[in-house]
Amino acid sequence: MTPPLEHPPRTRFLGRFWRNRRGATAVIVGLLLPVIIGMAGFVIDVGHMLYVQRQLQAATDSSALAGAHDINCCSSTPGTAKTTATSYSAVTGDKNEIAGVTTTMVSGYPQLKCFTSTGLSCSGPDSANGIIVKQQAAVPMWFATIFGLNSFNVTATSTAGATGGPAKSLDIMLVLDTTASMNTADSSCSISGSTRLTCAEAGVRTLLNDLSFSADKIGLEVFPGVTNASVASEYSCGASNPTILAYKSAPNYGILGLGNDFKTSGSTSLNASSNIVKASGGKTSCPGMVAKGGVGTFFADAITTAQSTLTATGRPGVQKVIIILSDGDAGATSADMTTAAYHNQCAEAVTAAKNAAAAGTWVYTVAYGSPTAAGSSCGTDTPPISACTTMQNMASSPKFFYSDQVGGTSACTSSAQSVSELVGIFAGIGSSFGTPRLIPDNTT
């Protein structure tokens, strides 16, 4: 038998080498390791980029909503909405800055817009009912720098509409000072050549523009009160003046009950045929309310009457609101007051307002040129109280107290509200009833 052939030693060595694959995996891993690291780095960079994108979008939404809240807020400083929106941006130093990321507001933004499809009024100093904010951020890359990509830009856009009516329906009673002091000029009013009364009327029209005829109702009271026969004189287009009654003679403070005809269906402008629009000077050739005066200032009973009207004729389950405008300096003479009501006239007003608030009514007060000295104002009160403090104490919340610091005294200020011009104050009150909301970016 022929013995098997033996491979030469070199051949046997190569065979063993070929069959031994113990290092193959390490070689493959070594070859693939750069790819694996690159993919992991790519995932980390993309994840970080998406994270920053979400932060940027949230900051942009916040910026747009904050700006929308101040649209048409401030007659003395148009464009406040853009300033507010910028302050809430993600740019370094602003309220929503993103740490470690270079963020900028895109050139030309924030933009104030008048959208025709939303049905919201654009009236006011900004001539707008919406705002668009657009920001961009340079997201730093960590692993992509190997390929020369140091950063990647992401953008975010957000569009917000101004308050288009409150989140809940409202029944509102306006209580307006029509004493003779309202005939004096207010050179700081955004409506040129206004008296205090005509400036207040412009403010009322601004408020009406912010309300929804389908959800809200509003009524009007004035003090001093008038005779029943002359109530219509406050909204009549004729030339007659109302007949004033002394406070002790049970005057009629109620000029107009709760109604919603200030607008009509499908319209964003005021209805010139509405009596409250005519009373606030919203119809050409109609003089509006008259500040006749003659019996001093006392408004506690007007507040009580306003609350009674809301209770008797307001809708069940609807939020009740009283808005009071006055200098707050109650001090009618004893000849025009009952003995019981003559003393502590400012304190009586505070009590009447607090009773309304205790019943669930939101009480807003607008101090219009309110003195801050106790004793020289609210002269019938013991202990002394100032007119400014009276107006502050009547508001059911600090955020419901506004003060015209420009047309009145700069010393009477609101800690919660910075707007200080009367028309702007009414715009601010209207905005406070609800909140702005985000709307689609393709809104027209």
Side-chain angles (χ1 to χ4, degrees):
M1 174 180 289
T2 304
L5 294 174
E6 292 187 6
H7 295 288
R10 184 169 55 185
T11 303
R12 291 198 299 273
F13 172 78
L14 292 174
R16 288 196 302 269
F17 179 81
W18 179 256
R19 291 191 298 271
N20 187 354
R21 301 181 180 180
R22 285 177 293 179
T25 301
V27 172
I28 294 172
V29 169
L31 292 172
L32 294 179
L33 188 59
V35 178
I36 294 172
I37 294 175
M39 291 181 64
F42 176 77
V43 170
I44 292 172
D45 278 344
V46 170
H48 179 231
M49 182 179 65
L50 293 176
Y51 174 71
V52 172
Q53 172 69 50
R54 287 195 297 270
Q55 284 186 302
L56 184 66
Q57 187 62 60
T60 306
D61 291 346
S62 175
S63 174
L65 287 169
H69 185 274
D70 283 348
I71 291 175
N72 294 321
C73 76
C74 313
S75 298
S76 58
T77 53
T80 296
K82 294 169 67 174
T83 302
T84 300
T86 300
S87 71
Y88 279 82
S89 78
V91 176
T92 301
D94 289 338
K95 291 182 173 63
N96 289 299
E97 68 172 281
I98 302 174
V101 176
T102 301
T103 304
T104 57
M105 187 71 70
V106 173
S107 178
Y109 293 88
Q111 287 182 5
L112 290 171
K113 303 289 287 186
C114 181
F115 297 114
T116 58
S117 63
T118 62
L120 305 181
S121 171
C122 292
S123 62
D126 293 323
S127 299
N129 60 11
I131 189 169
I132 303 174
V133 176
K134 189 172 184 179
Q135 299 185 90
Q136 62 185 10
V139 184
M141 297 288 102
W142 296 326
F143 293 92
T145 55
I146 298 172
F147 306 103
L149 183 61
N150 296 320
S151 65
F152 190 88
N153 288 334
V154 295
T155 62
T157 304
S158 186
T159 305
T163 302
K168 58 172 68 179
S169 297
L170 301 175
D171 287 336
I172 305 169
M173 287 302 299
L174 288 170
V175 181
L176 301 183
D177 189 332
T178 55
T179 58
S181 64
M182 293 292 285
N183 288 318
T184 59
D186 182 356
S187 60
S188 298
C189 181
S190 59
I191 309 300
S192 178
S194 290
T195 65
R196 292 191 177 205
L197 182 60
T198 55
C199 191
E201 289 174 344
V204 172
R205 296 195 300 273
T206 297
L207 175 65
L208 294 176
N209 266 312
D210 283 339
L211 300 181
S212 166
F213 82 95
S214 62
D216 309 317
K217 291 188 175 182
I218 188 168
L220 173 65
E221 291 192 358
V222 299
F223 62 91
V226 301
T227 63
N228 292 336
S230 63
V231 165
S233 299
E234 297 284 18
Y235 55 82
S236 170
C237 291
S240 60
N241 289 333
T243 301
I244 304 299
L245 284 179
Y247 297 105
K248 67 180 180 181
S249 301
N252 191 335
Y253 298 104
I255 302 304
L256 293 166
L258 294 171
N260 65 343
D261 65 348
F262 51 89
K263 288 180 185 175
T264 57
S265 178
S267 175
T268 58
S269 58
L270 297 181
N271 173 22
S273 298
S274 165
N275 286 335
I276 196 166
V277 174
K278 289 189 285 186
S280 58
K283 181 175 182 178
T284 304
S285 77
C286 286
M289 290 174 280
V290 176
K292 190 172 181 181
V295 292
T297 301
F298 176 70
F299 44 91
D301 286 352
I303 297 170
T304 300
T305 303
Q307 178 61 26
S308 297
T309 299
L310 290 171
T311 300
T313 63
R315 294 164 291 173
V318 172
Q319 179 62 53
K320 309 298 188 292
V321 181
I322 295 175
I323 303 172
I324 310 158
L325 180 144
S326 176
D327 64 6
D329 191 4
T333 66
S334 57
D336 295 313
M337 302 292 295
T338 63
T339 302
Y342 171 70
H343 298 285
N344 300 313
Q345 294 178 34
C346 286
E348 289 177 38
V350 173
T351 298
K354 288 189 177 299
N355 288 340
T361 299
W362 294 344
V363 180
Y364 286 76
T365 62
V366 181
Y368 197 14
S370 295
T372 56
S376 59
S377 60
C378 295
T380 68
D381 279 73
T382 304
I385 185 174
S386 73
C388 179
T389 301
T390 297
M391 298 299 288
Q392 288 175 325
N393 291 348
M394 287 195 301
S396 55
S397 165
K399 67 180 181 180
F400 291 170
F401 170 64
Y402 294 77
S403 178
D404 187 319
Q405 306 160 28
V406 180
T409 170
S410 59
C412 184
T413 60
S414 169
S415 61
Q417 304 294 345
S418 60
V419 58
S420 61
E421 186 273 332
L422 196 59
V423 178
I425 285 173
F426 275 98
I429 292 174
S431 294
S432 75
F433 290 152
T435 56
R437 72 270 188 225
L438 297 175
I439 57 178
D441 291 333
N442 61 354
T443 299
T444 58

